[in-house]
């Protein structure tokens, strides 16, 4: 069986990771996963949120947004509405949590790394692309701190990437495009470390609940996809 | 090994489900899971949100809140802050999604069932207690509609309950109390149907990523717990 | 003449005051006045608002809220609307002001007692029930401070309770239920101390203005009712 | 005994009511009560709020605001803060309620009269000055509707004015200036009709609760003051 | 050619500047430009915004608002909407910027002068009237500081006034009234110093773009008008 | 004299206009002016704002935003703050007004074209780059409507571009980079049509007011720059 775009069930969309996409931030990455494109920037700020002040420990946090016309119909800006949607909050909490899991915050020292993920084109999988791209921006920001002598030791513990899996028409698929996502029976986002361990798993049965066997199938697809994504991250990090 | 409160690793806290807790709503349930107490009410509204208008299809949605002093230190009310926190948004989206998965929205007809989950005492597991209690309130609201002749056919497809599992000090535990939750290495919420199928799985490694084997252990505990919770729901629904 | 629920014109609804309703707060009271039920909790916070900082003087303040389905039709949460209604603001200012009038804020020392009044079922008189219940929660919080040795001297000067009176169909009535309140020609809330002195009087002619003679009749009813309420508070405070 | 400004205990401050203060509104009144100055405008809008739509019945509502430097120290604008304070909400609810009590809303027909009370200089008694001034603006707006033939019959039932009374240094005083208000032991606002009946009574013991006898003294002062205010309103309404 | 109100094309509306309009602020001016009336008050605050703290340098800032019924139809208060409109923000930024241009902020010392411009009647040119009036209020506030010995040296560098010009029916006009402004093809606001230099120029072609020659015509009109306005300011400042 | 980046006083920075930058919108342009980069998208929406409904006339409006790290230090997102800054409002009002001036809204018919200008890198002149880029996106959206047969006639009347000019160190300069803008004595934005007519002129003396002669010098520079920008727009529009 072929998918609508010619992919195999266990095939990722083409990935492209561009470092140094804008010139100002400590880390700036454009990640493209098929038609999905996200600008991920990392900013170093020499202070921490109130609840960490004086602890000597650092913080990593994320914000996520979409340009109004990243999607087929224009969405009202959250800045105009005056508040973030639940979806945005959920996604930016997920991205921040995932990236903190591979950083030794004590080694980072009392500073914050902000990861801004701005979707300029959305075709499914924007949250997982954000995590995968933000990881690369984070590495660049840490390299900046190491080069400047502001950090003595690398606080990054492991590599990290994320991918979506799902069930469409009864078939388990890796890396859903919007076309597939919008009619998926199950939608699952998985975040794994370079060592193949789980950092986050979020699975939702949209219509038809799934069983343990199906879950195992989803996780195998995710492991395969993330293995490839981490290879792409490594390749991108060797350039430059 | 015994837990801090004397439970076995695979033991739920004591459950108490009180129907008809307040007299006005179509469904009103007080669920107690150990020290955690949530008032779950179901309200029938004879209209649907804009995006469902004219579709003939119904809607089920949830709102979640905590009394300011449900916890050890008083939290500022979200109404005073002027906005919902990300945590609240995430939880109420989860509750709504979970309950919609066991309702045939076409059979429900063009009406909304609101599920309000108000935590009056919080000791861990408030979101899973909310789902388990809201299910009972939902059944009562549907029975109200059936009795009144407003529904011809029961739109509820399956039973549903939720539980947390986690890893604390390297040991997999069922149904974490706050004492345990606050130091868990892994925190996972699982929502299953009466037939033991997955509706939602959300697992987060707070510090140490987990592997497939551990995941399987967590899921077994969850299945055991939810089996018992659904038995409690059924017992409660037979009374009255 | 009998009222719709069989009461005499000068008869209170049945009162029930349950202390220690939830286990965490310094004071936690469920007050039931007929069908009206309010959870009143008192929280001690070891700081004061900015405008009292460094004064050595304490503060007592209140917040009031209703569960969405405390009433016949569901109300949108103020947290979802993003702001408090005028009604809520007015009520919580009244509760705070009333309770401050029986506390010697200098003796309280530089700390705040928060009184949270959460209405779980509303059948008229929620603001007066809140004051009457919050007084008991306040006493419990002060006892907690005395027992812990954090206070040397009791800062509570007098007892305090509140009741509504009104005119319905030309007849002066004590303690209006919603059924009566919704068609009252005059609606008045009275807060008295244990010594029968006025702390607050708020009377509104909804349709037909009233004269001095009627006002005197209302005040007599209020005095009678509050006398009984204070007896109930004392009885509740002796238990436990 | 003389007061700080030479008045007797039962003496009002000088009153000045200027009609047609600005030229555009249907009613526009500048009321001066001593140093307190409020612009009261009445606007006729040919529609009603949602909850009155289709009822054939009209509505009267009020808004209240202070210029930032109406007071000794500059207050931040509520428009900049993004929300109304509880004080403002309470006051504008009071003004609207008071004025509705002298209007036959059925005779007004399905239209709204907005009363905007903008305090340009504040020296105590701004809410009672607002009510007294807004009544005159309301009469002018109703006259406009009668003249235009939009109303056949005058919907105003009675005249209406408001005054503050209080206790300062143990002495009952009429019409408190800020100097007195800021140290009052009791603060009471009274709204009476031309026939001397109560529309609203709001009394608060700031420090020392008061008894029935004192209440009677306050009400006598209020009756005297309002009698004079209504005479001033009538005089102003005869001019022009 | 005569205008709708009998003026020549290069004729200002009648100006009236009343100092000491309210008694409390350090500067309080009522400016009337034809039917347009604005209360401009200046408040001295002995602190500066965060971004100036510790700099030894002062700040001048402005806020602008309209009473709801300053215009033909009532506008909703921005305080009720919970946010400022873009128009208000733009105007208050303009007023602040213009007045800062004639103040030596170093000489002012680390304090803020707030200029509040509240439009009580609007008939075109409210922003330029605000600037012209606020200048006078500012001078009064500075005089207050000099008299009190809080300033040694006058920080005001030059005088300042503003006027609108525009093109209506192909004719360049000075000082547009609302009647003209609402159908203008070009609308331009000009702020000049007493020495005739530009502080601000903001011109917009509403429908038909304009050329250099027309621009020159507009600027000549503006220069003439501002010359007269500054004469009026000086006259007003000599009184009192 | 050379500028900090080697340019002549009357020299633009290098311009690059990329059409079809993202694939979904009706018009999508990346404009680069030196280091400044803005994504300008045009979205066609088949409805108009309320105030135009039923008029048969269309609308063109703009929104403007910066990515948080478009600048040297990270700015908090306006969506997180919950409101737009005055600067953003002012800029988006300017962009919308400028583009409406070259569209015959009657010919556009009752539909809206949204122009979203999202700055991904900011180095001065973001508002003028937005206008210049948005014009190209607008042309593409109109071409889309013409091609689809949704428009019979081209509603675009003229071409349009914008540029900044200013005075730095006493010298008039064209197209200020951030380095120059931050220390400019005069800052002016000019919007001209293809026929060299003024649509908008906004000049501000930051410190030192300027005279007519200087103004003329600024306008000559602006005319020269806009002439070149319009040539770049035309070149870009011929490609594709």
């Amino acid at each position: 069986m072929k998918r609508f775009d010619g992919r195999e069930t266990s095939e990722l969309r083409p990935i492209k990771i561009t470092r140094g996409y804008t010139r100002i931030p400590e880390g700036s990455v454009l990640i493209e996963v098929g038609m999905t494109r996200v600008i991920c920037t990392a900013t170093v700020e020499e202070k921490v949120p109130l609840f960490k002040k004086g602890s000597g420990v650092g913080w990593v946090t994320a914000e996520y947004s979409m340009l109004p016309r990243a999607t087929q119909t224009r969405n009202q800006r959250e800045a105009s509405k005056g508040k973030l949607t639940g979806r945005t909050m959920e996604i930016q909490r997920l991205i921040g949590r995932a990236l903190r899991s591979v950083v030794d915050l004590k080694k980072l020292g009392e500073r914050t790394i902000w990861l801004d993920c701005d979707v300029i084109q959305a075709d499914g999988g924007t949250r997982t692309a954000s995590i995968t791209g933000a990881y690369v921006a984070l590495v660049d920001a840490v390299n900046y701190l190491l080069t400047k002598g502001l950090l003595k030791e690398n606080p990054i513990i492991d590599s990290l990437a994320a991918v979506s899996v799902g069930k469409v028409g009864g078939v388990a698929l890796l890396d859903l495009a919007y076309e597939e996502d919008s009619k998926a029976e199950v939608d699952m986002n998985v975040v794994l470390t370079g060592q193949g361990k789980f950092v986050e798993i979020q699975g939702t049965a949209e219509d038809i609940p799934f069983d343990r066997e199906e879950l195992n199938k989803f996780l195998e697809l995710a492991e395969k996809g993330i293995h490839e994504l981490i290879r792409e991250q490594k390749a991108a990090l060797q350039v430059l």
Side-chain angles (χ1 to χ4, degrees), chain A:
Chain A
M1 188 210 103
K2 288 278 167 167
R3 297 210 236 169
F4 85 107
D5 55 1
R7 280 189 288 154
E8 302 292 336
T9 55
S10 66
E11 193 180 345
L12 291 177
R13 288 175 287 175
I15 310 295
K16 190 171 166 200
I17 296 174
T18 308
R19 286 162 70 206
Y21 180 66
T22 58
R23 297 194 216 166
I24 301 171
E26 285 72 63
S28 172
V29 166
L30 175 71
I31 183 164
E32 299 171 78
V33 178
M35 290 265 291
T36 291
R37 292 193 222 163
V38 189
I39 302 175
C40 304
T41 70
T43 297
V44 176
E45 192 185 33
E46 289 297 326
K47 64 177 186 185
V48 284
L50 223 63
F51 67 94
K52 286 284 176 191
K53 221 168 178 177
S55 67
V57 166
W59 192 241
V60 173
T61 189
E63 289 193 355
Y64 168 96
S65 185
M66 270 202 197
L67 294 204
R69 192 61 196 285
T71 46
Q72 285 303 326
T73 53
R74 188 180 181 277
N75 295 299
Q76 200 196 343
R77 286 174 195 268
E78 292 175 313
S80 303
K81 283 191 229 174
K83 59 179 179 182
L84 302 178
T85 62
R87 179 183 176 276
T88 292
M89 289 232 199
E90 206 170 299
I91 292 175
Q92 59 193 24
R93 282 159 57 89
L94 168 65
I95 301 170
R97 211 162 56 220
L99 287 156
R100 279 194 298 280
S101 78
V102 291
V103 177
D104 182 330
L105 297 172
K106 273 187 214 121
K107 285 195 188 152
L108 180 58
E110 205 166 316
R111 58 171 58 88
T112 298
I113 299 181
W114 289 86
L115 297 161
D116 285 294
C117 301
D118 286 89
V119 179
I120 62 177
Q121 194 162 268
D123 186 33
T126 63
R127 77 187 71 188
T128 50
S130 294
I131 292 170
T132 305
Y135 174 77
V136 179
L138 173 70
V139 170
D140 274 337
V142 163
N143 284 339
Y144 162 89
L145 288 167
L146 289 164
T147 306
K148 287 265 176 184
L150 294 164
L151 275 181
K152 296 292 165 227
E153 214 181 335
N154 192 334
I156 298 182
I157 298 161
D158 203 342
S159 50
L160 183 91
V163 81
S164 76
V165 288
K167 187 167 66 169
V168 182
V171 182
L173 299 178
L174 176 63
D175 184 24
L176 308 189
Y178 177 73
E179 167 78 16
E180 296 162 335
D181 191 37
S182 59
K183 53 189 188 203
E185 293 115 39
V186 176
D187 183 19
M188 184 172 289
N189 294 295
V190 181
V191 186
L192 295 181
T193 63
Q195 296 172 24
K197 294 211 167 178
F198 288 89
V199 160
E200 192 87 30
I201 168 173
Q202 295 196 338
T204 300
E206 297 292 338
D207 259 327
I208 313 165
F210 56 94
D211 60 24
R212 282 289 284 281
E213 199 178 329
E214 287 175 296
L215 174 60
N216 286 331
K217 179 64 187 151
F218 298 144
L219 298 179
E220 274 152 35
L221 285 174
E223 281 164 358
K224 175 183 177 296
I226 286 174
H227 191 73
E228 292 171 31
L229 288 165
I230 285 177
R231 209 167 48 208
E232 294 288 338
Q233 289 174 327
K234 288 197 174 141
L237 283 163
Q238 268 154 9
V239 190
L240 221 70

